[in-house]
Amino acid sequence: SGMNNMPIRLLPVLCIAVWTTAAAQQPGQFPKADPKQDAKLAAELRNRAAKGDGDAALRLGNLVELKRTPAGYGTAIDWYRRGCELRDLSACHNVGLAYQQGRHGLKPDPAEAASHYVKSAERGFINSMYNMAILYADNGQIATDPREGLKWMLIAQRAATQCPERRICREVSEDPRGYRVKLEQRLSSRERRETYDMALAWHPKN
């Protein structure tokens, strides 16, 4: 599921289809732009977010990002952060994406991106699992144990077998840029085996 109508500026090393899955919000889920209806929807979403609805915060962030809210609704990243606090997985992913790509006025910060991705990856969000693997695979993004990156890649690929009809799942299965190989090459055969075991034993958090 992707917000494919969003103009996403890609960093050269990140030009893969997964980056267009910024939000788990289909463009079709918003009716055509209509300032009066948009204002009404924004007010309704803000009320629902205030009552603890993470999905409403995510959708309000999407609406702000589309520049379809009246003045006074803050920034998209504020609403994505709020959605993440309210345990919405797509919202956490969007905050991670913003830090990874330096969007919404944030400076690129791979470690901060990872800290948000992991919140949704741990609860089974495949987009975040794959993006975690990419952060570890791309040297210099986050200089830490490549086993952690390979673990997320293996978990993402296992999840992808359950949803072959979704573009993100096909992308993860095919791994066209070879992130899995990059990670495996940095590990000894013993480390690889340990990582396969770790990935097999993994279960999503509630």
Side-chain angles (χ1 to χ4, degrees):
S1 56
M3 205 162 166
N4 299 331
N5 62 337
M6 293 304 302
I8 293 180
R9 288 185 299 283
L10 297 172
L11 302 174
V13 292
L14 306 176
C15 285
I16 56 165
V18 71
W19 298 113
T20 58
T21 60
Q25 207 58 54
Q26 295 293 352
Q29 282 180 265
F30 287 121
K32 264 174 73 159
D34 169 344
K36 211 183 220 160
Q37 287 304 315
D38 287 347
K40 200 171 146 188
L41 178 61
E44 183 196 313
L45 290 172
R46 182 158 65 184
N47 284 340
R48 281 173 42 202
K51 290 177 183 151
D53 182 337
D55 179 64
L58 166 75
R59 293 185 63 210
L60 185 51
N62 293 162
L63 207 57
V64 171
E65 190 163 347
L66 291 166
K67 299 185 171 37
R68 283 177 54 176
T69 47
Y73 276 85
T75 63
I77 196 69
D78 291 337
W79 291 109
Y80 295 149
R81 283 188 204 281
R82 182 74 189 118
C84 186
E85 284 162 15
L86 294 169
R87 295 171 60 81
D88 184 273
L89 305 189
S90 299
C92 292
H93 180 80
N94 283 8
V95 179
L97 201 67
Y99 274 112
Q100 177 143 25
Q101 298 186 334
R103 299 173 65 208
H104 302 302
L106 299 176
K107 284 198 165 67
D109 185 334
E112 195 62 48
S115 79
H116 283 87
Y117 284 147
V118 80
K119 290 174 188 176
S120 39
E122 281 180 340
R123 287 167 50 218
F125 196 64
I126 192 168
N127 309 48
S128 295
M129 293 171 181
Y130 192 47
N131 287 10
M132 282 290 283
I134 291 169
L135 280 174
Y136 282 95
D138 274 344
N139 275 328
Q141 290 275 312
I142 39 179
T144 36
D145 188 348
R147 280 178 297 194
E148 189 68 9
L150 180 58
K151 179 192 84 174
W152 285 118
M153 175 58 81
L154 295 168
I155 293 166
Q157 288 190 321
R158 190 174 73 197
T161 63
Q162 306 298 309
C163 50
E165 72 292 345
R166 289 180 59 204
R167 198 186 56 152
I168 173 67
C169 299
R170 292 194 300 275
E171 178 79 29
V172 170
S173 293
E174 290 159 17
D175 187 27
R177 295 177 77 90
Y179 293 112
R180 177 172 170 170
V181 171
K182 275 189 193 179
L183 289 159
E184 287 178 332
Q185 283 171 345
R186 286 156 60 189
L187 297 169
S188 69
S189 56
R190 184 180 58 80
E191 287 171 328
R192 284 201 293 270
R193 278 197 307 276
E194 283 170 4
T195 309
Y196 300 150
D197 290 343
M198 260 163 50
L200 273 174
W202 182 86
H203 292 287
K205 288 185 175 175
N206 289 330

